[in-house]
Structure formats: structure tokens, C-alpha cells
């Protein structure tokens, strides 16, 4: 891990998140980490497509909360690719307690398996969930993206803090890697980001945000051919 401090904080729905003081940035919404992930990425992204088999691409693996919530959707067969530049040490992951906060008896085993999975390799976590964690810089133009992506969880730190993550070049590479009809969801509803996604070719909708959280979020769909 790069040399930075991490603090554990409790969010409004009782679930935890991590805070990076050097960036003044949280890994999830302080208005409810679990509620945010479930709403934006699972309900508005993964479940919106109503396919029984798909490829997910996550930008920013972080704590693995989105991966855990996805793995619990066992009726959808998933190949889950996630990119992360700064994998977190086990003691920080263990402090998040997501395996207890998620109300599902499978959660502790799944969360442990997700974090034990080797990096830079496809690992079968359950019969319906294969995980591929890649340690890389998403903004580096030489990073190879997986292709044939159906759902993108765009979960980078905020554009004010890491503008390079939201730049046109890498977003266009995501668009090119997606299947027609595929969707990208993000918590960021800024007009500038919405217009950038539209200029790349996405059809962009503003959706209601999570209960108690942000007013709006974005879902961008790659048009059918
Ligand atoms: C908002 S957090 C992601 C939260 C995560 N999805 C979760 O469920 O906990 C953003 C993540 O992007 C990662 N990141 C920052 N710069 C990156 C880069 N250039 N390439 C890949 N990941 C990066 C951060 O280390 C952090 O884990």
C-alpha cells in the first residue's frame, strides 16, 4: 500500500467506511455506506439489466463491499473484474465489519474468500461468482481492460479529488470495452460528468439517489447497435 493514513468511521446507516485524511475523502457515502452500494451498484446497475449471466467491471475495489454485495446475488452468474491501485492491508479490511453488517449468513465466508483471492488471477469464489482483482492504475493508457463488459460500477473518488479518474480518455476506453446495452452507474451526478458521458456516446439518466443519501445518481447506457 502506498504510504497514507486510513481512519475507520461509522456512517448514518450504522455501516462503516474508511476515510483518507490526506485526500479528505471517504470510500463511501457518510450518509450510509451499505445503503449507497446496494442502491447505486446492485439495484440500479446489476439488477437493472435482468440478465442471468454477465461481466462486471468495478473501478476501485477498495474495501470489497461492492464485490460482497454482488457475490450475494447468487441468481446472477458473474465474472467480476475489479481494478485497484492501492490494495488495503488485511487489518484495515477486517476493521470494516461488512461481513457482520450485511444481513446474510453467507456474508462472512464470502467476504473472507473475496479478500483471500489472489490478485491478478481469475478465482472462482462460488459456482456463480468468479472474481478477478487486478492491481493496476486505471488511468494508465497501457492498462488492459477486460472486454465484453455488461455492468460498470464506477466507484472512483470524487472528481474534485481525482479528476484524472473521470477524464474522457479512460471513460472512453470503458465505453469501448462494454457490450451494447451495458450500463455504468455512479454516485456522481455532476452536470460536467453527465455531459462528458453523453459526449462519449452514452445515454445518461438521472435517477433518485439512495434513501437518506444524495438526491440524484447517474446511470449511463451504451446504446444498442
Ligand atoms: C471510492 S473508493 C472505492 C470503494 C469500493 N468500491 C468499495 O466497495 O469499498 C475509490 C477506490 O479507487 C482506488 N483508486 C484510486 N486511484 C486509482 C487508480 N488510478 N486506479 C485504480 N484504482 C484507484 C482507491 O484506492 C479506492 O480504493
Amino acid at each position: 500500500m502506498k504510504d497514507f493514513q486510513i481512519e475507520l468511521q461509522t456512517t448514518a446507516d450504522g455501516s462503516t467506511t474508511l476515510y483518507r485524511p490526506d485526500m479528505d475523502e471517504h470510500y463511501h457515502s457518510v450518509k450510509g455506506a451499505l445503503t449507497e452500494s446496494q442502491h447505486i451498484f446492485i439495484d440500479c446497475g446489476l439488477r437493472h439489466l435482468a440478465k442471468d449471466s454477465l461481466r462486471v467491471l468495478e473501478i476501485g475495489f477498495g474495501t470489497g463491499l461492492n464485490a460482497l454485495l454482488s457475490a450475494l446475488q447468487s441468481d446472477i452468474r458473474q465474472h467480476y473484474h475489479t481494478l485497484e491501485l492501492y490494495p488495503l492491508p488485511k487489518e484495515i479490511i477486517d476493521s470494516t465489519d461488512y461481513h457482520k453488517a450485511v444481513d446474510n449468513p453467507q456474508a462472512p465466508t464470502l467476504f473472507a474468500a473475496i479478500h483471500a483471492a489472489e490478485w491478478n488471477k481469475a478465482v472462482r469464489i462460488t459456482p456463480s461468482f468468479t472474481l478477478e482483482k487486478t492491481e493496476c492504475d486505471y488511468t494508465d493508457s497501457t492498462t488492459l481492460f477486460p472486454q465484453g463488459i455488461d455492468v460498470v460500477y464506477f466507484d472512483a473518488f470524487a472528481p474534485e479529488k481525482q479528476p484524472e479518474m473521470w477524464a474522457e480518455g479512460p471513460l472512453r476506453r470503458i465505453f469501448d470495452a462494454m457490450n451494447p446495452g451495458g450500463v455504468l452507474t455512479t454516485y456522481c451526478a455532476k452536470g460536467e460528468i453527465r455531459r462528458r458521458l453523453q459526449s462519449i456516446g452514452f445515454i445518461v439518466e438521472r435517477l433518485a439517489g439512495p434513501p437518506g443519501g444524495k438526491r440524484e445518481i447517474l446511470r449511463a447506457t451504451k446504446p444498442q447497435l
Side-chain angles (χ1 to χ4, degrees):
M1 181 172 112
K2 202 182 151 199
D3 190 21
F4 53 78
Q5 295 293 310
I6 293 273
E7 292 172 11
L8 185 72
Q9 294 190 0
T10 301
T11 70
D13 67 0
S15 60
T16 55
T17 191
L18 301 177
Y19 173 67
R20 272 189 58 173
D22 63 320
M23 295 178 76
D24 186 22
E25 185 68 337
H26 291 88
Y27 278 62
H28 310 92
S29 167
V30 293
K31 295 179 176 166
L34 198 53
T35 310
E36 173 193 63
S37 289
Q38 179 70 36
H39 176 79
I40 301 174
F41 302 113
I42 307 300
D43 299 341
C44 296
L46 190 75
R47 292 229 153 256
H48 170 72
L49 271 197
K51 279 176 79 172
D52 55 12
S53 175
L54 37 76
R55 274 183 190 271
V56 179
L57 171 63
E58 176 182 43
I59 305 302
F61 174 68
T63 65
L65 175 58
N66 292 340
L68 171 62
L69 295 176
S70 294
L72 289 168
Q73 315 302 308
S74 56
D75 57 327
I76 306 175
R77 185 183 290 271
Q78 299 161 62
H79 192 117
Y80 192 100
H81 300 266
T82 181
L83 313 186
E84 174 59 58
L85 186 54
Y86 307 122
L88 294 165
K90 187 173 182 311
E91 59 272 21
I92 290 179
I93 295 296
D94 288 347
S95 73
T96 62
D97 265 4
Y98 288 134
H99 56 295
K100 293 184 196 156
V102 174
D103 186 21
N104 188 305
Q106 310 288 331
T109 316
L110 277 177
F111 198 56
I114 284 167
H115 285 289
E118 209 177 313
W119 284 82
N120 308 313
K121 195 176 161 186
V123 179
R124 194 164 175 263
I125 305 291
T126 70
S128 61
F129 190 81
T130 297
L131 177 66
E132 208 166 333
K133 300 186 290 189
T134 304
E135 185 173 354
C136 64
D137 182 351
Y138 147 79
T139 64
D140 183 338
S141 59
T142 63
T143 294
L144 289 177
F145 282 15
Q147 301 295 305
I149 298 298
D150 300 293
V151 181
V152 178
Y153 299 169
F154 196 84
D155 203 11
F157 287 135
E160 306 82 59
K161 302 296 167 69
Q162 270 200 303
E164 69 279 13
M165 300 291 281
W166 305 79
E168 185 179 334
L171 284 174
R172 194 174 283 285
R173 295 179 67 217
I174 291 184
F175 181 86
D176 291 342
M178 288 170 69
N179 286 330
V183 296
L184 173 155
T185 53
T186 179
Y187 64 86
C188 176
K190 285 183 76 172
E192 183 190 342
I193 301 302
R194 185 163 45 86
R195 287 188 291 278
R196 188 167 303 154
L197 291 167
Q198 284 167 334
S199 74
I200 288 168
F202 285 106
I203 298 162
V204 186
E205 300 164 86
R206 283 185 286 194
L207 305 177
K214 287 179 77 95
R215 201 161 53 85
E216 287 185 332
I217 62 164
L218 295 183
R219 179 167 60 213
T221 303
K222 179 166 175 169
Q224 296 285 355
L225 292 174

